[in-house]
Amino acid sequence: RLVSGTVTVPLYMLDEHAPTRMSRDADGNPLANGEVEIEFWANIPRSLETLPDGPGRLVMNGHGFFDTDEAVSYSWQRGLADRHQYVMVGADWQGMSFDDVGAAAVALSDVSEFAAVTDRLHQGMINFVVLTRTMIGLCADDPAFQIEGQTVYGTDDVYYTGASQGGIFGATLMGISTDIERAALNVPGVSYPMMQN
């Protein structure tokens, strides 16, 4: 089962769409600017269809370079989820998602515009922290994530996996999330200048 939905997150940008900058107060500190809905995708594998071994594991997924939240629906991700009974959930890494390609191109040609990219990366982290908390909270009670009234994933232990850019950002997410216990950070070693050339 593929589930698409939205969650409400606090907005710390001047606008919800790229290119944009961080909302700041007179002293330069980040300033909340209302709320916004962000999209997410979740993949519930066939191996959990009857919950043969009990609930699966909730795994937050960070996509690669300029990809999208739909990465959890890719065939290799579905295979991984099915083999290990993972419920994989992903959102756009705002700042370095497909929707940010235009802003990044402008920033590469005019360095003075680069803050429009890096500021949105902060919003991307906020989005993942809130999405994770929502998955172990409200979403666990939603029928879309249940089979015969039982939630298809456990909420006590939450995991993360990400490759390439997802591996790089995953290290930061692990540093700030209080909900994610363990992570697999795959191939995160290449620097962004190397990836952009």
Side-chain angles (χ1 to χ4, degrees):
R1 181 187 302 173
L2 280 175
V3 179
S4 64
T6 62
V7 295
T8 304
V9 300
L11 179 65
Y12 278 85
M13 309 302 296
L14 294 173
D15 191 274
E16 64 180 286
H17 303 290
T20 187
R21 299 289 302 273
M22 187 176 290
S23 173
R24 296 182 184 275
D25 64 20
D27 296 322
N29 298 312
L31 180 67
N33 185 26
E35 296 177 332
V36 66
E37 296 287 312
I38 63 155
E39 296 180 352
F40 72 90
W41 281 81
N43 172 32
I44 302 171
R46 287 187 184 277
S47 59
L48 287 172
E49 189 171 14
T50 60
L51 300 178
D53 303 311
R57 291 182 175 154
L58 177 61
V59 179
M60 306 305 291
N61 178 259
H63 64 68
F65 201 45
F66 291 122
D67 208 340
T68 72
D69 55 353
E70 295 180 42
V72 297
S73 70
Y74 296 169
S75 61
W76 69 273
Q77 294 277 43
R78 291 196 318 267
L80 177 69
D82 195 48
R83 282 192 304 276
H84 300 287
Q85 298 183 340
Y86 296 159
V87 175
M88 298 186 79
V89 180
D92 284 355
W93 274 124
Q94 287 190 3
M96 285 287 185
S97 68
F98 181 78
D99 290 339
D100 296 288
V101 170
V106 169
L108 289 174
S109 62
D110 182 356
V111 176
S112 68
E113 298 295 324
F114 204 74
V117 175
T118 57
D119 278 3
R120 245 172 81 88
L121 293 174
H122 293 276
Q123 185 66 47
M125 290 295 162
I126 292 167
N127 296 351
F128 258 83
V129 168
V130 173
L131 176 58
T132 303
R133 181 64 57 91
T134 304
M135 290 303 301
I136 61 178
L138 290 174
C139 286
D141 295 326
D142 192 297
F145 296 100
Q146 295 181 344
I147 294 175
E148 296 181 357
Q150 185 176 352
T151 304
V152 296
Y153 56 83
T155 57
D156 292 334
D157 297 307
V158 183
Y159 304 88
Y160 173 87
T161 183
S164 187
Q165 176 179 274
I168 295 169
F169 288 165
T172 302
L173 181 64
M174 289 300 294
I176 61 175
S177 174
T178 58
D179 295 314
I180 301 173
E181 295 293 322
R182 295 182 180 173
L185 308 178
N186 302 299
V187 293
V190 177
S191 67
Y192 277 107
M194 292 288 289
M195 293 170 70
Q196 294 169 354
N197 287 331

